[in-house]
Amino acid sequence: MSDRHPTLLQPYSERAKTATHPLSRYLFRLMDLKASNLCLSADVTTARELLVLADRVGPSIVVLKTHYDLISGWDYNPQTGTGVKLAALARKHGFLIFEDRKFVDIGKTVQMQYTAGTARIIEWAHITNANIDAGKDMVRAMAEAAANWKARIHYEVKTSVSVGTPVAGQFEDGEEQNDNAGDDRDSDGRKGSIVSITTVTQSFEPADSPRLAKTNEHGDELVYPGIEEPPMDRGLLLLAQMSSKGCLMTKDYTQACVEAAREHKDFVMGYVAQEALNSAPDDNFIHMTPGCKLPPPGQEENGHVEGDGLGQQYNTPAKLITLLGTDIVIVGRGIIQAADPPSEAERYRRKSWKAYLTRVG
Ligand code: 6AU
């Protein structure tokens, strides 16, 4: 970690003012509003479980990370499918969607994988990531694809079928209710509650306007209050370091990620890394870090956490945020395998936020 880079001591609300990428500025504000620097890695196996989990854990997180290709029953319909339902939950609870696709290929191929094909990731994921082993041109290719997509939707007539905002109880076999939504948020110092607004079925959608304001005038969508809809910009995280044992990413590779990020500040939001990588005076990239777990409740909270036996290694939020300077911790099994994922997510949110407050003093 670069010692005492100014961003390590700056509150997220301050970093929101100086970040280059519009989505980073938005995300820093959202973190401040929700008092959360937690990303849920929603690695479940069915679309129904994914939507139920997103609805239940949404209040505690600022980013929900998907691996769409491990979800069975993913509905690819661009108007009513799983991506659209997830986007409605993101609006309701106030989180961004990060598809952990780890793109790596020649530029032309990644452009097509990102914008087309079955999943049309760019349509529903605010953020995705790339391994730049293939070279920095790949980042330029993805940046171009994102810019073209944004320019195109500026003129597109959108036909939006009102799917409403799904709640856990509405999903097939959805016996798990969203009984935690809105719970004790005020006592945690977070601002806001849920409001209802309406939807329309067809309209022009200017790229720089909040999607919801233009496409929803009749119906019953829900939107998280206290902050506007995220901007239509898409963002990339560079996979600069990995959490797995024996990872082959070298220091030179990580440095190439830093250079690529600086060259594409309008598209690269930051990194998936194990430590903070901001080092130049005006670097203000955001860091998200997987390989995060808390010891079970009742045990020494900063104690050692065993790996998963398949190469994954874990650190506590306190170590990753306070000591190594990351901004957002990514937690998967630590939350989804808990007896009660919403309350475990709250435990992670509290500890991670406390670690951030300790860092910025
Ligand atoms: O908390 P876990 O171990 O259950 O899940 C960690 C999640 C998984 C991994 O695919 C992902 O984080 N991940 C990544 C990402 C986000 O790119 C990089 C890495 O170095 N390690 C890692 O675990 O979905």
Side-chain angles (χ1 to χ4, degrees), residues 239-262:
L239 186 66
Q241 296 166 330
M242 289 197 69
S243 57
S244 42
K245 196 173 165 192
C247 168
L248 301 176
M249 288 170 175
T250 62
K251 282 196 165 59
D252 285 349
Y253 167 82
T254 302
Q255 186 54 30
C257 289
V258 170
E259 284 158 23
R262 288 176 186 152

Side-chain angles (χ1 to χ4, degrees), residues 12 16 24 43 45 53-54 75 78 88 115 123 142 151 154 193 201 211 219 264 268 294 316 334 346 353:
Y12 297 135
S24 301
D43 299 333
T45 53
L53 188 65
D75 178 348
T115 60
E123 300 280 346
M142 290 186 72
H154 189 79
S193 57
T201 52
R211 178 177 284 261
H264 295 282
V268 176
L294 281 166
T316 59
E346 265 302 282
W353 194 252

Side-chain angles (χ1 to χ4, degrees), residues 41 43 65 67 98 100 102 129 239 241-244 272 274 290-292 312 314 330-334:
S41 184
D43 299 333
K65 189 177 80 61
H67 279 294
F98 164 20
D100 185 4
K102 296 185 180 70
N129 56 354
L239 186 66
Q241 296 166 330
M242 289 197 69
S243 57
S244 42
V272 173
Q274 292 297 302
C292 179
Q312 178 67 302
Y314 290 110
I330 299 174
V331 182
R333 285 165 285 182

Side-chain angles (χ1 to χ4, degrees), residues 19-274:
T20 309
H21 197 298
L23 209 47
S24 301
R25 290 202 293 271
Y26 180 89
L27 182 52
F28 280 129
R29 285 172 54 217
L30 188 64
M31 291 159 76
D32 184 55
L33 178 70
K34 290 185 84 173
S36 172
N37 47 358
L38 177 63
C39 166
L40 173 71
S41 184
D43 299 333
V44 290
T45 53
T46 66
R48 185 190 73 80
E49 284 174 283
L50 171 68
L51 295 171
V52 170
L53 188 65
D55 199 26
R56 297 183 75 208
V57 174
S60 302
I61 61 175
V62 284
V63 179
L64 181 130
K65 189 177 80 61
T66 52
H67 279 294
Y68 86 90
D69 57 356
L70 57 78
I71 304 279
S72 71
W74 184 279
D75 178 348
Y76 293 105
N77 187 307
Q79 263 96 38
T80 57
T82 307
V84 177
K85 290 195 170 114
L86 211 47
L89 291 169
R91 282 196 290 275
K92 172 182 168 186
H93 294 298
F95 59 77
L96 298 181
I97 303 168
F98 164 20
E99 165 55 31
D100 185 4
R101 173 64 179 74
K102 296 185 180 70
F103 288 98
V104 53
D105 214 312
I106 59 165
K108 182 65 191 166
T109 301
V110 294
Q111 282 184 339
M112 294 163 76
Q113 290 170 322
Y114 186 26
T115 60
T118 44
R120 300 164 69 97
I121 291 166
I122 200 165
E123 300 280 346
W124 50 268
H126 305 96
I127 303 169
T128 190
N129 56 354
N131 173 331
I132 68 160
D133 265 331
K136 288 192 282 182
D137 280 354
M138 200 191 96
V139 179
R140 181 164 56 83
M142 290 186 72
E144 276 173 17
N148 289 340
W149 173 79
K150 185 177 165 182
R152 202 172 57 244
I153 58 164
H154 189 79
Y155 298 106
E156 248 176 33
V157 176
K158 285 276 175 188
T159 303
S160 83
V161 176
S162 174
V163 293
T165 301
V167 294
Q170 289 173 344
F171 307 129
E172 196 189 330
D173 306 319
E175 65 287 341
E176 295 163 273
Q177 297 294 321
N178 180 21
D179 43 14
N180 276 45
D183 275 1
D184 62 28
R185 301 169 72 78
D186 289 345
S187 64
D188 274 322
R190 289 181 293 167
K191 312 151 195 168
S193 57
I194 304 300
V195 295
S196 177
I197 69 153
T198 51
T199 60
V200 84
T201 52
Q202 192 175 57
S203 68
F204 282 96
E205 186 176 58
D208 49 2
S209 294
R211 178 177 284 261
L212 202 60
K214 288 287 172 189
T215 56
N216 297 280
E217 288 173 19
H218 305 290
D220 59 351
E221 287 258 0
L222 301 175
V223 64
Y224 191 78
I227 191 164
E228 73 284 3
E229 289 279 298
M232 292 304 290
D233 303 74
R234 294 310 192 219
L236 185 70
L237 298 171
L238 300 181
L239 186 66
Q241 296 166 330
M242 289 197 69
S243 57
S244 42
K245 196 173 165 192
C247 168
L248 301 176
M249 288 170 175
T250 62
K251 282 196 165 59
D252 285 349
Y253 167 82
T254 302
Q255 186 54 30
C257 289
V258 170
E259 284 158 23
R262 288 176 186 152
E263 285 166 24
H264 295 282
K265 281 184 183 173
D266 51 345
F267 182 52
V268 176
M269 296 170 70
Y271 313 100
V272 173
Q274 292 297 302

